[in-house]
Amino acid sequence: MSTMEFDEVYEEIRGVLNPGRLKLTSNSIVFKNIRTGKVETLTKDEIENIKWMKRSRGYGLKFITKNDTSLRYDGFKDTDIERLKEFMTINFGKNVESQKMAVNGWNWGKVNFGAGNLTFEVDHKQAFEIPLKNVSNSNKGKNEVTLQFHQAEDVKVSLMEVRFYVPQGDV
Amino acid sequence: TSQGDKVSSEKARKINNAYKSEGQLPQDPDIQDLKLYMDKRYETLILPINGTPTPFHISAIKNVSLAVEGEYIYLRINFFHPGGIGKQADTIDKENVYIKELTYRASNDKKDDVVPASNNLSHVHKLILEIQKKYKDQELERKQMEG
């Protein structure tokens, strides 16, 4: 199989789901935003890592590029995973890693930085991720860090700010 | 079940678990639309953070407030943390970062929808208060039974 197509995929950017069509070819992924008509292409050479995780609409694929950008596409079914893994192993030479999500509902954990993202991990699983380029402003206080975010234009409900308690010495 | 080392009950904040597996998370349309959602059955608030529906058990929430500013409604959610009255064992508190507060905003304007997006924030605000009260009453009853 030299291509795979998905008609109901959403690209998530700044908390907004943009509907579109995703096509995987032997050396690229192509996403067409059906509202704007804009086409976005990522070649296999630009891909550093691929991850698979549960998202708001089914499952999502995250492509991390060599220049620390993450592209997130949601809307896959768990029955899609095997074909996708196989396709990307054969065509891109990449293993698709399964990312386990934290579901225990705690508000405490570890903060990690990598691939242009701030990741909050709870009980060794990922709770959420913030692309650092989404941060418009940051403030430090005693045992505290506050981050404010750029807002997407057509977002319905948006996250404006997060405040962290940081133990002594880590701010 | 609760977690944490042995700390005296007046000092330790017990944060309970929301779900055991990813499969238990609900599939409500509000979650799919990246809005806020209160899972009453599991006493868990699910918050959209950059496209990830992130669960927070009600026992982690300290208080919540709603404010109107022009065309927007703001919902601020405050969580327990060691800087306030939310200390857990030192082994946890010295090694971990806590989320203290999250602020969400939505427009009062209907725009192209049937109802304004801010309805989601005011509705969830009400549910948080309701589930918090229910949880506190349950905890009180449980403590009384333990003697």
Side-chain angles (χ1 to χ4, degrees):
Chain A
M1 202 190 331
S2 55
T3 66
M4 280 183 89
E5 290 190 42
F6 296 88
D7 284 341
E8 261 186 80
V9 166
Y10 303 85
E11 181 173 15
E12 185 267 316
I13 299 174
R14 288 187 182 164
V16 175
L17 294 174
N18 299 292
R21 283 193 261 278
L22 188 74
K23 185 160 126 173
L24 282 79
T25 73
S26 59
N27 62 2
S28 67
I29 61 171
V30 185
F31 178 78
K32 181 172 182 177
N33 181 319
I34 57 178
R35 276 191 208 140
T36 65
K38 194 170 153 209
V39 174
E40 178 176 73
T41 307
L42 186 67
T43 63
K44 72 173 185 187
D45 296 329
E46 296 174 271
I47 300 172
E48 180 69 45
N49 244 318
I50 309 172
K51 293 197 182 185
W52 166 264
M53 75 282 293
K54 191 162 198 330
R55 294 276 280 172
S56 66
R57 289 188 190 215
Y59 287 82
L61 273 175
K62 182 172 93 174
F63 293 90
I64 301 169
T65 71
K66 290 183 173 157
N67 62 2
D68 283 351
T69 302
S70 297
L71 296 172
R72 297 172 175 81
Y73 302 106
D74 297 342
F76 298 99
K77 301 183 183 58
D78 59 3
T79 49
D80 292 327
I81 178 69
E82 286 314 314
R83 311 189 282 142
L84 280 163
K85 277 185 172 174
E86 196 188 327
F87 186 94
M88 287 187 280
T89 302
I90 292 170
N91 291 285
F92 302 162
K94 293 281 175 198
N95 284 326
V96 176
E97 293 171 46
S98 222
Q99 172 75 64
K100 284 228 147 294
M101 303 307 283
V103 295
N104 59 17
W106 301 350
N107 65 313
W108 53 277
K110 305 277 188 226
V111 168
N112 288 316
F113 294 93
N117 295 310
L118 178 161
T119 303
F120 193 71
E121 276 175 19
V122 174
D123 199 27
H124 309 291
K125 297 185 197 105
Q126 187 177 115
F128 61 82
E129 204 166 62
I130 296 171
L132 292 172
K133 59 185 178 191
N134 284 12
V135 177
S136 62
N137 197 19
S138 67
N139 276 307
K140 280 188 211 177
K142 181 176 192 290
N143 290 114
E144 182 181 280
V145 171
T146 303
L147 301 178
Q148 290 172 327
F149 305 108
H150 288 297
Q151 298 304 306
E153 262 174 41
D154 43 357
V155 68
K156 299 270 159 79
V157 173
S158 64
L159 178 62
M160 301 300 290
E161 186 179 281
V162 60
R163 230 178 257 267
F164 294 103
Y165 164 89
V166 183
Q168 209 57 53
D170 280 13
V171 175
Chain B
T1 55
S2 59
Q3 85 313 313
D5 303 330
K6 284 196 168 76
V7 183
S8 70
S9 56
E10 314 95 64
K11 284 192 195 155
R13 170 64 47 186
K14 228 175 4 165
I15 296 176
N16 281 333
N17 290 340
Y19 306 101
K20 288 196 178 73
S21 68
E22 291 179 11
Q24 288 178 315
L25 263 89
Q27 302 248 30
D28 195 272
D30 277 351
I31 296 173
Q32 292 178 355
D33 285 346
L34 298 183
K35 289 181 177 168
L36 281 66
Y37 181 78
M38 172 57 88
D39 183 348
K40 290 189 189 183
R41 187 175 158 212
Y42 284 88
E43 303 169 323
T44 294
L45 181 61
I46 299 175
L47 297 177
I49 302 179
N50 283 106
T52 302
T54 313
F56 292 96
H57 190 261
I58 195 75
S59 55
I61 298 172
K62 183 170 147 204
N63 58 39
V64 64
S65 64
L66 210 56
V68 182
E69 267 178 52
E71 74 154 281
Y72 291 110
I73 280 192
Y74 290 81
L75 177 68
R76 192 168 68 209
I77 302 158
N78 288 102
F79 297 86
F80 288 111
H81 61 86
I85 55 168
K87 285 179 166 43
Q88 298 189 87
D90 273 357
T91 48
I92 293 173
D93 292 348
K94 290 194 171 148
E95 303 293 322
N96 287 283
V97 170
Y98 280 73
I99 295 170
K100 278 172 88 155
E101 189 181 285
L102 288 168
T103 303
Y104 284 89
R105 178 185 84 175
S107 174
N108 276 324
D109 188 346
K110 266 199 318 193
K111 296 184 183 167
D112 298 325
D113 288 329
V114 177
V115 293
S118 58
N119 277 21
N120 176 243
L121 297 187
S122 38
H123 181 61
V124 169
H125 173 252
K126 210 176 76 164
L127 290 178
I128 294 171
L129 294 176
E130 183 188 307
I131 301 300
Q132 244 189 346
K133 180 176 191 307
K134 184 173 159 224
Y135 182 77
K136 281 178 185 166
D137 290 346
Q138 276 168 209
E139 284 295 291
L140 193 62
E141 206 181 291
R142 194 180 57 78
K143 279 186 179 136
Q144 283 171 351
M145 287 195 345
E146 280 172 8

